[in-house]
Amino acid sequence: MKFIRMVEETIAVRYSESKMRCPTHLCTGQEAISAAVGLALRQDDFVVSTHRSHGHYLGKGGNLNAMMAEIYGKATGCSLGKGGSMHLVDKSVGFMGSTAIVGGTIPVGVGLGLSIRLHGTDQVSCAFFGDGASEEGMFYESVNFAVLKKLPVLFICENNLYSVYSPLKVRQPSKRAIYTLAKAIGCPAEQGDGNDAESIYQKVSRALRRIRQGKGPYFFEFSTYRWREHCGPLFDNDLGYRTNQEYLEWKKRDPVLRLEQKLLRRKDLSKADIERVERDISRQVAKAFDFAEKSPFPDASELTKDVFA
Amino acid sequence: MQKRNLKFFRAVNEALHVAMQKDKNVICYGLGTDDPKGVFGTTLGLRENFGPERVFDMPTSENSMTGIAIGAALNGIRPVMTHQRLDFFLLAMDQLVNNAAKWHYMFGGKHSVPITIRLILGRGWGQGPTHSQNLQAWFAHIPGLKVVAPATASDAKGLLLSSIFDPNPVIFLEQRWLHNVEGHVPAGDFRVALGQAKVLRHGDAATIVASSYMTIEALQAVKVLSKNGVECDVVDLRTLCPLDWKTIFSSVKKTGRLLVLDTGNETCSVASEIVARVSMELFSSLKGAPRRIALADVPTPTSPTLTKVFYKGAEDIVKAIGQMLRKDIPFEDLNNKSACPHDVPGDWFKGPF
């Protein structure tokens, strides 16, 4: 979680150098879900994700150097510089792809679930998406099919209350929670605090055991909040679509700080431990940025390659 | 080789059986796939032979079911989806264009998406505005998609097998009126390579480029032309993307005249692209302006008096070639087609679908 935070915040600091030349959606404030779900999943489980995918990718164990090089548009990027921040992939850890169409990877995640069923393994396919995706037809279609066929799919809805600048309250009736929609389709579903890494880990681990027993899909709606602007490195509370007060309230529930304080209180970690972890992550992040900066850009001849397999 | 005649729909059915027999990762689904009619007979027997895990009906969720095919394909499955009309598939353009077509490119070649999507095209019997569109040009326009449009029973089988085992997403267009066309079909795992046109008739007067159902009309037309001493090349494209430019160009270089037939609307059609590229690259070989015959730029009408002028056929082809050669060639209905109403492919078709 700290790792994701430090990567995202380094991107935020260095974005203005204009070397990361692609739309970049940071997940600062939402890291607990990525980290806890990633930890609960096995390496051979599958994940698909969205435009805001750095956390999901890193949480699943995706290679940091390849991600940074991808954001820098380099040939050493995970998608050879053809995808950018919104199109990450690391097959070696089951991160099967993130795309930038709202809801667009939910059915892909269910299809991976279908393939697991056909191959007869006990893997799980996990689809991450946001609250906006729950308004797409694909959401209902995909959950319906997963329930119909009892597929091994974990649905993770990160409800950060905004679809770009549009608040949830202008998009969905205020008294109806998103997870109840999944429930109505017949998918076991629950709501949880998306800023409490430990409880997410416990809930998801329990659901994964159930899914692996062949009992079909499971759905979580985790409430959380993105700190920075929808797309880019800045804060945008000055725009007026949300209040600074709301942001500060959520900042008090900083998932990283919360876990640190809990671990310190329980004496599971000391301040020195935390500092050591931070130094270690700093080194890794610096190395990854260095790798990305020093990597070559794709050759012009790459333009027409890989249109067809 | 012993002649083994099969109808087009049986050839499709046989290809599906062969593919599923050969590779347990081939699955087949779509609305009505395992219903008693088996999608015009094309999917009959599959469920009985390969079981409900691999052959199944689906929720009416065209877009997500396409995304589900993509996800399954990412992990080694080869889905074959079937839609009883192309028009029903339009809800799935998002998954097709944003995901299937570019998954390989946008992830730097890390994944491929081997899915085949069979789309059946309606014609006649009042199918009208939303049951008879051929939007083949849309598909051919998208980088990363292959588009296949067979005209004969043998190509239906050979191209479908190649499509299923191709590592890319393939749109497989089946004209409903072709389902009962009969021809020799080789047994077993018979394949026709994608991207290769076939010259069905040879002549020096003009090149007629056709595909799908218009190939049948072209073959009728060249019979009449031949009786009048005019011999033409008939190039059956078979694959619309990638196009076999080599075969088209070598025929046009020989004849110097080009007529392209298209089963879709005229503007921005596949025919437009062929006319444009031949004009640009073979200008000095041309003896006259290339022409195209496609559908008028209007939605498909329903009433038979309107469809009669909307659809084009052998008579229009003969007329166009006559004009291109500045020759008066009378049309003759050699197959006595006018004995049967214009809005059905033959007396076997009693509607409704």
Side-chain angles (χ1 to χ4, degrees), chain B residues 13-294:
Chain B
N13 184 260
E14 194 170 87
L16 292 170
H17 273 92
V18 170
M20 296 196 79
Q21 187 71 51
K22 196 178 168 65
D23 183 351
K24 67 177 174 32
N25 289 318
V26 176
I27 63 170
C28 191
Y29 65 86
L31 280 171
T33 293
D34 58 354
D35 75 12
K37 289 191 173 174
V39 192
F40 312 117
T42 60
T43 56
L44 288 176
L46 292 174
R47 189 182 172 106
E48 291 76 2
N49 280 301
F50 303 104
E53 290 277 306
R54 291 176 63 197
V55 182
F56 50 89
D57 210 321
M58 69 171 207
T60 317
S61 306
E62 290 82 0
N63 197 27
S64 285
M65 292 312 298
T66 305
I68 285 163
I70 295 165
L74 295 180
N75 190 30
I77 302 299
R78 292 183 180 275
V80 182
M81 292 184 75
T82 302
H83 297 271
Q84 311 220 11
R85 283 292 182 271
L86 176 147
D87 319 60
F88 308 161
F89 177 72
L90 297 190
L91 280 165
M93 287 304 281
D94 163 53
Q95 282 297 327
L96 183 75
V97 176
N98 280 320
N99 281 349
K102 47 181 74 68
W103 205 277
H104 186 257
Y105 186 89
M106 76 181 167
F107 293 115
K110 300 276 171 71
H111 285 295
S112 63
V113 181
I115 60 176
T116 302
I117 300 172
R118 295 175 52 214
L119 302 178
I120 294 165
L121 314 170
R123 174 171 165 138
W125 198 272
Q127 303 290 306
T130 61
H131 273 54
S132 63
Q133 299 167 85
N134 181 5
L135 300 169
Q136 58 189 21
W138 286 22
F139 304 121
H141 183 71
I142 307 301
L145 290 182
K146 293 190 177 178
V147 186
V148 176
T152 66
S154 143
D155 284 345
K157 178 175 176 183
L159 289 168
L160 183 54
L161 274 160
S162 292
S163 300
I164 294 170
F165 292 108
D166 193 273
N168 299 286
V170 181
I171 297 291
F172 191 86
L173 300 168
E174 283 171 40
Q175 235 287 344
R176 174 80 182 103
W177 279 22
L178 293 173
H179 273 149
N180 264 38
V181 168
E182 203 170 289
H184 167 66
V185 177
D189 186 1
F190 161 70
R191 304 204 190 175
V192 173
L194 304 186
Q196 287 181 15
K198 189 177 185 183
V199 184
L200 298 181
R201 296 287 182 275
H202 295 271
D204 293 330
T207 298
I208 301 174
V209 173
S211 60
S212 186
Y213 179 71
M214 283 309 273
T215 299
I216 306 299
E217 292 291 335
L219 292 175
Q220 294 299 323
V222 293
K223 273 192 209 160
V224 178
L225 292 168
S226 181
K227 275 187 81 179
N228 287 274
V230 175
E231 304 294 342
C232 296
D233 267 6
V234 174
V235 177
D236 179 15
L237 290 172
R238 309 200 287 187
T239 301
L240 304 176
C241 184
L243 276 170
D244 181 358
W245 292 108
K246 206 173 143 202
T247 300
I248 298 169
F249 283 0
S250 77
S251 173
V252 175
K253 273 185 200 159
K254 179 183 71 174
T255 64
R257 291 191 177 83
L258 173 67
L259 172 65
V260 190
L261 314 178
D262 198 304
T263 57
N265 296 108
E266 187 166 19
T267 302
C268 298
S269 58
V270 171
S272 307
E273 179 61 26
I274 294 171
V275 167
R277 191 134 170 210
V278 166
S279 303
M280 290 191 300
E281 298 193 21
L282 294 183
F283 191 70
S284 58
S285 305
L286 291 171
K287 296 173 187 160
R291 289 183 61 152
R292 62 191 178 194
I293 293 177

Side-chain angles (χ1 to χ4, degrees), chain A residues 186-200:
Chain A
C187 187
E190 55 182 297
Q191 212 169 12
D193 180 349
N195 285 13
D196 181 349
E198 275 190 314
S199 88
I200 298 168

